[in-house]
Amino acid sequence: MVFGVILAGGVGSRMGNVEKPKQFLKIGGKPILIHTVEKFLMHDSFQELIVLTPTEWIEHTKNLLKKYLGEAGSTVKVLKGGSTRNETIMNSIAYIEEKYGLDDDTLIVTHDSVRPFLTYRIIEENIKYGLQYGACDTVIPATDTIVHSEDGKVITSVPDRSKMYQGQTPQTFGAKKLKELYQSLTEEEKEILTDASKIFVIKGEQVYLVEGEVYNTKITYPYDLRVAESLLNDQKNGQ
Ligand SMILES: Nc1ccn([C@@H]2O[C@H](COP(=O)(O)OP(=O)(O)OP(=O)(O)O)[C@@H](O)[C@H]2O)c(=O)n1
Ligand SMILES: O=P(O)(O)OC[C@@H](O)[C@@H](O)[C@@H](O)CO
């Protein structure tokens, strides 16, 4: 079984002083989260779509799904997010295990709710390579040179940019394996995680690359809202 797991459990602190978590802010007259859910609803491979949000925003999320997406929106399961992004993913796996059981064919396509510009191809390839390889990560080649600094003062190294990529999402995994690997991590290992692919990498497991898109950007800062509005205008004008 394949599940769409849309991560909306954050508070968007880097968005500054806004009245609600950034995933509920509007672009093109519609909440960012709704743009993202719409992309997943275009695929019929999913057994179920799951959105995970902070507890206090669960009812709001359900209302948005019904208001903007009607019947289709009502099929989306809304759950409580976790204290960290990976705990949110674990909450989705706990729900899946409870309702469907977990086996080696249980696949989760995990996606940042604030990356509304992902494409049909990216989702299809995540499903295909997730089923084929058991783990894949959506990435784009680094456009800026990556600089590594241990102390934040001087350069420790400048990795070969031709081998550097920027991680995006979706990140797709065998749910059973992800759960087992995550549970085997120490608290220190969990602390340094900023995504889920690293859980596999730390444990020496292969994660295959799926080609992302530059515009599959994560809305993080106020500036990103302006970029998102202009991307929507471009799409409207067929650019
Ligand atoms: N406990 C968490 C933390 C983050 N996320 C989700 O992970 C995605 C990417 O994380 P990020 O951009 O960092 O979102 P926030 O944590 O909300 O932002 P900030 O770090 O600025 O507070 C977002 O869709 C966010 O909702 C989540 O589901 N559960
Ligand atoms: O550091 P942040 O919490 O903004 O991002 C965490 C993840 O969302 C991020 O690592 C993936 O989108 C892959 O880049």
Side-chain angles (χ1 to χ4, degrees), residues 120-170:
Y120 188 88
R121 171 194 62 83
I122 290 177
I123 294 177
E124 282 295 295
E125 288 188 7
N126 266 267
I127 295 170
K128 177 183 171 190
Y129 295 117
L131 290 171
Q132 191 173 345
Y133 297 120
C136 59
D137 187 7
T138 306
V139 299
I140 55 172
T143 45
D144 292 329
T145 296
I146 304 292
V147 172
H148 166 214
S149 171
E150 283 297 322
D151 65 6
K153 292 192 178 72
V154 296
I155 293 179
T156 306
S157 68
V158 180
D160 174 355
R161 192 181 73 180
S162 68
K163 298 186 176 69
M164 294 297 120
Y165 297 81
Q166 289 160 233
Q168 300 182 336
T169 63

Side-chain angles (χ1 to χ4, degrees), residues 85-86 89 135-137 171 173 178 181-182 185 188-207:
R85 187 176 180 283
N86 285 315
I89 294 175
C136 59
D137 187 7
Q171 300 182 335
F173 311 98
L178 178 65
L181 293 176
Y182 184 73
L185 294 178
E188 292 71 34
E189 286 172 326
K190 287 179 185 176
E191 276 302 305
I192 58 163
L193 295 174
T194 58
D195 73 350
S197 293
K198 193 166 182 173
I199 298 167
F200 272 65
V201 174
I202 288 177
K203 293 297 179 183
E205 300 284 342
Q206 288 196 324
V207 179

Side-chain angles (χ1 to χ4, degrees), residues 23 45 48 56 61 68 92 124-125 129 175 189 196 223 231:
Q23 55 270 34
S45 317
E48 191 169 10
E56 60 275 26
T61 301
Y68 287 93
S92 73
E124 282 295 295
E125 288 188 7
Y129 295 117
E189 286 172 326
Y223 164 80
L231 282 171

Side-chain angles (χ1 to χ4, degrees), residues 13-187:
S13 58
R14 286 171 285 180
M15 192 48 79
N17 184 20
V18 286
E19 77 281 6
K20 55 186 78 162
K22 61 184 178 180
Q23 55 270 34
F24 302 116
L25 298 177
K26 288 185 178 177
I27 54 173
K30 203 162 41 177
I32 293 166
L33 171 65
I34 297 300
H35 286 277
T36 302
V37 173
E38 280 179 328
K39 300 291 174 67
F40 277 78
L41 284 171
M42 290 165 70
H43 296 260
D44 52 17
S45 317
F46 294 116
Q47 174 70 29
E48 191 169 10
L49 294 183
I50 302 164
V51 171
L52 300 102
T53 74
T55 310
E56 60 275 26
W57 292 95
I58 288 177
E59 281 315 306
H60 178 71
T61 301
K62 288 177 180 174
N63 294 337
L64 289 180
L65 288 165
K66 208 171 288 172
K67 175 182 175 185
Y68 287 93
L69 303 174
E71 262 314 296
S74 308
T75 67
V76 177
K77 182 70 181 174
V78 182
L79 297 175
K80 181 168 74 72
S83 56
T84 66
R85 187 176 180 283
N86 285 315
E87 287 296 331
T88 294
I89 294 175
M90 291 304 129
N91 284 2
S92 73
I93 295 175
Y95 165 77
I96 293 166
E97 186 166 20
E98 170 75 23
K99 183 170 177 183
Y100 301 95
L102 282 187
D103 61 30
D104 293 341
D105 299 325
T106 309
L107 195 76
I108 53 172
V109 180
T110 70
H111 186 64
D112 297 334
S113 60
V114 290
R115 288 184 189 269
F117 298 108
L118 80 164
T119 64
Y120 188 88
R121 171 194 62 83
I122 290 177
I123 294 177
E124 282 295 295
E125 288 188 7
N126 266 267
I127 295 170
K128 177 183 171 190
Y129 295 117
L131 290 171
Q132 191 173 345
Y133 297 120
C136 59
D137 187 7
T138 306
V139 299
I140 55 172
T143 45
D144 292 329
T145 296
I146 304 292
V147 172
H148 166 214
S149 171
E150 283 297 322
D151 65 6
K153 292 192 178 72
V154 296
I155 293 179
T156 306
S157 68
V158 180
D160 174 355
R161 192 181 73 180
S162 68
K163 298 186 176 69
M164 294 297 120
Y165 297 81
Q166 289 160 233
Q168 300 182 336
T169 63
Q171 300 182 335
T172 300
F173 311 98
K176 189 163 176 277
K177 181 92 174 190
L178 178 65
K179 176 186 172 185
E180 286 162 5
L181 293 176
Y182 184 73
Q183 288 179 339
S184 73
L185 294 178
T186 64
E187 284 314 306

